[in-house]
Amino acid sequence: MTLTARVGSETTAALRSFLRRRTAVFFTFFFPVIIILIFGALVGTQPTGGGLFAEPPAYYLPGYLAVVVLFTPLSRVGSEVARHRAGNRFEKLATTPLSRTEWLLSHTLVNVGIIGVAALVIFVLVVVVTGAEIPLTADLALVVPFVALAVTLFCGVGALLGRIADSQDGVIAASNGIAVPLLFLSETFVPPSLLPAWFVPALSLSPLTYFARGVRNVTYPAAGGDPLPNLAVLGALTVVFFAAGAFALPRTD
């Protein structure tokens, strides 16, 4: 069996497994939509008015996208690893030609596809609901690799959590404990100007910061800057975290 056949078979099985969990499918799309409706429509932004949402609506698009590229792969892949460990499935996997890297790649492809669709829905809703003005330029296509790389990176982190945590409940608790601080301390919803000066350099320690900066470079012209350096750093971090996640997957239980 070829590499393509092995990965394709596992990807198909993982996709069917996800689609059978209707609650997971529903909240993958419902949660970011609620965030947009609450903060984009009900709370609204107040440009130059001060406060947390003092920037124009387009400024917060990376934050809305960050909700799905961060929370979904962490919880889904982490829970899947924990579920496989509880059912001794990695021991059975070791008897097949499918390697740990191929297993993680298959589940990552499913997440990239699902979250890619969710990101498109979010993009449209942000424009329609909040009135964000997104320039239609050739650079806008860079949002696709930014989303794909960020999802892959956090799939790797999710695999690490699934290996370290002792149960699915532990994975969910750990993923929330990591995701919530990252979501608000990665130049997503909170501008650096609202943070203490001594803390601002620490923003560069978060992989999500490079996603937010890069997407904002593309979708919010007032931010300025070149998105390619952020894409390069995000790509390098993705390789590191994906490799670490694949290495951490157990051979047996």
Side-chain angles (χ1 to χ4, degrees), residues 8-253:
S9 178
E10 180 64 23
T11 300
T12 301
L15 178 60
R16 290 175 177 173
S17 176
F18 171 74
L19 294 177
R20 282 197 297 268
R21 300 186 180 98
R22 296 180 180 179
T23 302
V25 175
F26 176 75
F27 280 101
T28 296
F29 294 91
F30 180 74
F31 181 55
V33 169
I34 285 297
I35 295 294
I36 293 172
L37 292 177
I38 292 175
F39 293 106
L42 297 181
V43 176
T45 60
Q46 300 175 1
T48 71
L52 181 58
F53 285 89
E55 303 292 338
Y59 180 90
Y60 299 101
L61 175 61
Y64 295 127
L65 293 175
V67 173
V68 287
V69 304
L70 176 62
F71 280 89
T72 303
L74 280 182
S75 60
R76 287 201 67 251
V77 174
S79 295
E80 196 68 24
V81 172
R83 188 159 42 244
H84 272 58
R85 289 178 60 199
N88 296 320
R89 297 181 188 177
F90 283 112
E91 186 171 348
K92 299 174 183 177
L93 181 66
T95 65
T96 71
L98 190 72
S99 69
R100 293 178 295 173
T101 300
E102 292 167 355
W103 183 92
L104 183 56
L105 175 60
S106 300
H107 288 262
T108 298
L109 290 174
V110 172
N111 278 276
V112 169
I114 293 168
I115 296 170
V117 174
L120 179 60
V121 172
I122 291 170
F123 194 98
V124 172
L125 280 177
V126 168
V127 173
V128 173
V129 174
T130 71
E133 298 180 359
I134 309 297
L136 298 177
T137 64
D139 286 346
L140 192 60
L142 289 174
V143 173
V144 175
F146 269 112
V147 170
L149 287 173
V151 172
T152 303
L153 187 154
F154 289 111
C155 281
V157 177
L160 289 170
L161 294 180
R163 182 66 177 88
I164 295 170
D166 56 0
S167 66
Q168 291 184 53
D169 289 340
V171 168
I172 297 301
S175 63
N176 288 336
I178 291 174
V180 172
L182 284 183
L183 182 63
F184 292 100
L185 298 176
S186 301
E187 296 189 25
T188 49
F189 293 105
V190 183
S193 59
L194 296 181
L195 297 171
W198 61 266
F199 185 81
V200 172
L203 296 175
S204 297
L205 299 177
S206 168
L208 193 64
T209 296
Y210 300 98
F211 169 81
R213 287 174 179 171
V215 173
R216 187 168 289 121
N217 291 152
V218 173
T219 60
Y220 183 61
D226 184 358
L228 295 181
N230 289 305
L231 186 64
V233 174
L234 184 63
L237 292 174
T238 297
V239 172
V240 171
F241 280 100
F242 182 86
F247 181 78
L249 292 177
R251 293 183 181 275
T252 58
D253 298 288

